[in-house]
Structure formats: C-alpha cells, structure tokens
Amino acid sequence: MLFCSYIFVLLFLPITVAGYFLLNKISRTAGRVWLFGASLYFYGYFNIYYLLLLAFSLVLNYSIGSLIYSYRKKFLLILGIVLNILILGYFKYYDFFIDTINTVFGTSWALKHILLPLGISFFTFQQISYLSDVYHDVLKERYSPLTYGLFVTFFPQLVAGPIVLANEMMPQFADEKNLRVNFSNLSCGIFIFSLGLAKKMLLADAFAPFGDSLFVLENPCFWDSFVGLLATHFQVYFDFSGYCDMAVGIGLMFNINLPVNFVSPYRAANIKEFWDTWHITLGRFLSQFIYFPLGGSKKGKFRTYFNLMMVFFVSGVWHGAYWMMVLWGVIHGLAVVVHRIWSKELKLKMPRPLGVVVTFTFLFMILAFFKSSTWEQVKRAYLGFINFDPVRISEFSRKFEFDTFLLFAAGFIIVFFFKPASSFRENFKPAVWTLAVPVVLIICCIYTFNKISPFIYFNF
C-alpha cells in the first residue's frame, strides 16, 4: 500500500488512527494489537508472501535478543548479525553475486530472479541495532514481544525508513501519555504529512518524466543531458524528502517521534555536510557498525581514509545490487576523503556560497550512477556533455515550455529557501492556515492518485 493512494489516505490511515486511540481507552494492549495488525496488513498489502519473511525475522531476532538478555554472550550477538546479513544477502544480493561470478569467470550459473521483499534492508538494520542495544545494555527494560513487533513493523517507517533504534522507539510505545489523542501532535502530523505528499506527487513525479526520458534517448543533445540530470536531481530529492516528511507526520499522529532523516541536504557547503543531512539514520547506523568498529579516526590518517571508504562502499552496496550503485558509493567515499584532506590536513576553507555551488554541481554530475543500472545508461546520460553542442536542440528539449520552467524554478526555491517540513514539530501551533494548507494540498494530490507512483527508496 502506497502513502500516495486513495485507499491509504481516505481509508487506511484515518481508520487506523481512530481505531488505535479508541481501543487504547479500552486497553493499551488492544490498541497496540490493533496498530501491530494494521502494520502487518499494510506490509502484506504489497505481497502477502512478504509477511512470512517478516514474521520469521521478528521471531528469530526477538528470540536471539532474549538469549542475549539471559546470557550476555558476544557470540550470540555475532550469530544474530550474521544470520540477518545472510538473509539480507540471499534476497537482495544472490543474483548480483552470481551474475558477477558468471561475468568474471565465464560460468553459467542460473539466476533465481528473486523478488526483493520491500523494506528488507530497513527492518534488517533495525533488528541488528536492537541486538546490539540489548548486548551493550542500552535498553534498560525488557520489552514484550508485542512492543518489539511494533518497533520493527510500525508502518510509517517499515518499508523506506528512517532506520530507527530500539532505545528511541520502544519507550515511546510503552509511554502511557502517548496512548491518548494529542490534538497538537495530530494537527502537526497532518500538516507535515501533507507537505511530504505534495513534494512527492506535485514535484517529484512532475520531474520524473524529464529524468526518465534522458536514459532512453539514443543521441541526447547537451540540453537533454543537462535538463534530464537536473530533473533527476530534483526528483530524487523531493521523492525521498517527501517520504521522510510523510513518515514523520504519520508518526506524530500516533504521538510517536520518528528521528529526522533529511534536513535540506542540497544546501550543504561540502560533501561531509551533505551526508550529515541526507539519510541521517543510515549514516548513523553505518558509523556505529562499520566506521567505529574499524577504528574510526583513532588509528592514523590513512586508516581513517580506509575506514571512510569502507563506509561508503557498504553504503553503495546497500543502496543497490548493481555495480553502478557501488561505484556511486565509492565516488562519494573518495569525495569525503578529499574533503577531509582539504579541511583537516591542508587547513583550507572555501566560501560557503561557493561551497554550496561546488557540492550541488558534484552531486548533480554523479547522479547518473545512482539512476543507472548499467554502464551503457551512464554513458547515454553523459553523451550530451561529451558531444558538447549547445546550439543543437532535440525534439525532447523542445518540450521544455514555460510551465516546465516554472516547475524547475519552484524546485530551486523550495530546495534553497524553504525550511525543512520536519522543523514544524518545534513550537507548532494549530491555526487556520495550518488547517487550510493540508486540506488544499491533499485535495490537489488526490487528483494525481490515478497513476502508480512508488518511492525510489522502495528499491533499496
């Protein structure tokens, strides 16, 4: 079930919210069972067979967590992490590994064409963090299987993040004051949700045709490559930002504060700042389980560079089971290392406005690796720049009309001058305009629900 669909906005979400708080008046257990069941229904709506894997993962990790609580043995933590990685590796990377082996060694092993279960990367990482929190005694209380199930399956963040931690989520589900309707949270949640929905339906999906067309053109001109990559740049931004806003907004409707995952990253003045504000919870997870265990920055500068490269190599692998995405991660790692040398070793600084332009341009220029699954698609995207001829205008470029110009202008203005939607959680005060804006935006978005529009991060 998509956030941007009739059944979700008009039926599932209002019924789930109302049922949760009504049942909480009868019993806190009844309310949590309702929310857990609704989250399973939400996940199973995509594919009923996904539920079997999710249920197995829940039972496996809660059982291992219980053993860790009882015996505090490190091998149990290692066992849990290995089993989770093996499950993720089989479903997400089996064909990737086999195809690579076939290419390198000339073998002909059969591919299984396994259908990637939605959200497997997200709920796997969350449960690894749970096992770690249990082992390191971060969780001071032993929670029930139902609370654990809610922590993993809470539907706003189940299929595309943010990657939440047990110690920041499970206490919220157990907190008595969160079981009652909070009209300030509810109105703020609806407001933020509507902003995210508008980003997805009115902006990301409007940019998508321009970006998608670039990767199928046989002989793109300079303007095709420029407009197509710029459109893709904005599509990815508003698609992911929109999902993050919707997740935060829905969480607030249930009095659950999800961690901020996205804070105006295109305003970053360097690549480190970009990764501090883009997919924040993924960076937090990779730092905890890759960077710091490898030694972080405490074992010399060359070891630090290696550790950074490993983080971004894993990030690339996590984002997609194909080599262009891995290369995208490696390029980001090299950029972070160069920035560290520039700022830490050479003690150089760049004026912030220039840094923003350089960072934005860098992200724009390497986006083809993120969008492409083959080297041929990457070459096609850059062909217009290689065959530089700003005079030649293709049929595709001629479609760039005044309303398209307004779309791109709106994208620039929102990216660089509007404050993040999640910031409205701070000191939010219900008012007439905070009610009117969601009503107008949701009505406008509903008219665009006639097409299937999955989120980009569903692929990860």
Side-chain angles (χ1 to χ4, degrees), residues 132-404:
S132 176
D133 282 354
V134 172
Y135 177 76
H136 292 102
D137 203 26
V138 175
L139 283 176
K140 302 301 181 183
E141 182 180 344
R142 189 167 181 172
Y143 292 94
S144 68
L146 179 57
T147 303
Y148 177 76
L150 272 179
F151 152 67
V152 177
T153 66
F154 187 45
F155 70 89
Q157 49 80 43
L158 175 57
V159 293
I163 300 170
V164 297
L165 302 179
N167 65 322
E168 68 187 1
M169 287 292 291
M170 295 175 80
Q172 294 190 69
F173 287 117
D175 193 336
E176 290 286 344
K177 72 175 184 297
N178 289 339
L179 304 181
R180 300 183 295 273
V181 177
N182 183 316
F183 288 102
S184 179
N185 282 345
L186 183 62
S187 58
C188 183
I190 294 172
F191 182 80
I192 294 175
F193 173 82
S194 70
L195 296 180
L197 186 64
K199 285 180 182 179
K200 168 61 177 171
M201 302 307 300
L202 305 183
L203 292 171
D205 286 4
F207 283 114
F210 296 96
D212 294 343
S213 297
L214 170 63
F215 294 88
V216 297
L217 291 177
E218 291 299 326
N219 186 28
C221 71
F222 170 80
W223 296 109
D224 294 335
S225 293
F226 179 79
V227 173
L229 285 178
L230 187 60
T232 302
H233 206 31
F234 283 131
Q235 179 199 0
V236 173
Y237 180 97
F238 288 116
D239 191 279
F240 188 40
S241 175
Y243 183 92
C244 292
D245 292 342
M246 283 187 266
V248 167
I250 298 169
L252 275 177
M253 297 179 199
F254 293 95
N255 299 322
I256 301 298
N257 277 290
L258 292 173
V260 174
N261 205 27
F262 196 94
V263 185
S264 304
Y266 283 180
R267 301 179 200 176
N270 56 67
I271 193 65
K272 180 185 181 301
E273 186 178 330
F274 169 78
W275 278 105
D276 286 342
T277 52
W278 175 283
H279 212 327
I280 298 169
T281 57
L282 175 63
R284 176 178 65 177
F285 181 90
L286 294 179
S287 294
Q288 180 181 351
F289 288 96
I290 304 293
Y291 184 68
F292 293 123
L294 289 175
S297 59
K298 297 180 179 179
K299 296 188 176 183
K301 59 184 179 181
F302 292 109
R303 181 64 179 271
T304 300
Y305 303 153
F306 172 80
N307 295 344
L308 288 170
M309 289 301 302
M310 285 301 300
V311 166
F312 284 95
F313 173 79
V314 173
S315 177
V317 172
W318 179 87
H319 273 88
Y322 43 90
W323 283 109
M324 292 304 101
M325 191 66 83
V326 176
L327 185 55
W328 173 83
V330 170
I331 293 171
H332 271 277
L334 289 171
V336 170
V337 169
V338 169
H339 170 261
R340 188 176 183 89
I341 294 172
W342 171 277
S343 59
K344 299 289 186 181
E345 305 298 332
L346 302 179
K347 307 294 184 183
L348 296 174
K349 290 185 178 181
M350 187 180 294
R352 184 169 184 84
L354 178 60
V356 172
V357 172
V358 170
T359 305
F360 185 87
T361 304
F362 168 77
L363 296 169
F364 160 76
M365 290 304 299
I366 69 166
L367 193 62
F369 293 97
F370 183 89
K371 183 74 172 180
S372 305
S373 57
T374 66
W375 180 245
E376 289 302 317
Q377 288 180 318
V378 172
K379 288 194 296 184
R380 184 178 293 127
Y382 292 131
L383 194 60
F385 295 130
I386 297 170
N387 301 328
F388 181 73
D389 184 1
V391 178
R392 185 171 73 89
I393 304 295
S394 70
E395 288 298 322
F396 174 70
S397 293
R398 288 194 179 97
K399 298 178 182 178
F400 195 90
E401 299 174 348
F402 182 69
D403 57 342
T404 311

Side-chain angles (χ1 to χ4, degrees), residues 4-6 201 445-453:
C4 41
S5 64
Y6 296 111
M201 302 307 300
C445 290
I446 284 176
Y447 281 102
T448 68
F449 283 174
N450 58 341
K451 60 181 183 298
I452 297 175
S453 181

Side-chain angles (χ1 to χ4, degrees), residues 1-19:
M1 190 184 305
L2 295 170
F3 288 171
C4 41
S5 64
Y6 296 111
I7 189 173
F8 182 86
V9 173
L10 301 179
L11 290 174
F12 178 83
L13 182 58
I15 290 173
T16 302
V17 172

Side-chain angles (χ1 to χ4, degrees), residues 52-90:
L52 299 176
L53 175 62
L54 180 60
F56 174 77
S57 182
L58 288 171
V59 173
L60 173 69
N61 282 281
Y62 188 78
S63 299
I64 294 175
S66 297
L67 291 173
I68 294 174
Y69 265 119
S70 300
Y71 299 104
R72 300 291 174 182
K73 299 295 184 180
K74 191 171 185 177
F75 85 88
L76 290 171
L77 172 62
I78 295 172
L79 175 65
I81 293 174
V82 169
L83 289 176
N84 277 286
I85 295 300
L86 286 175
I87 293 171
L88 176 62
Y90 175 77

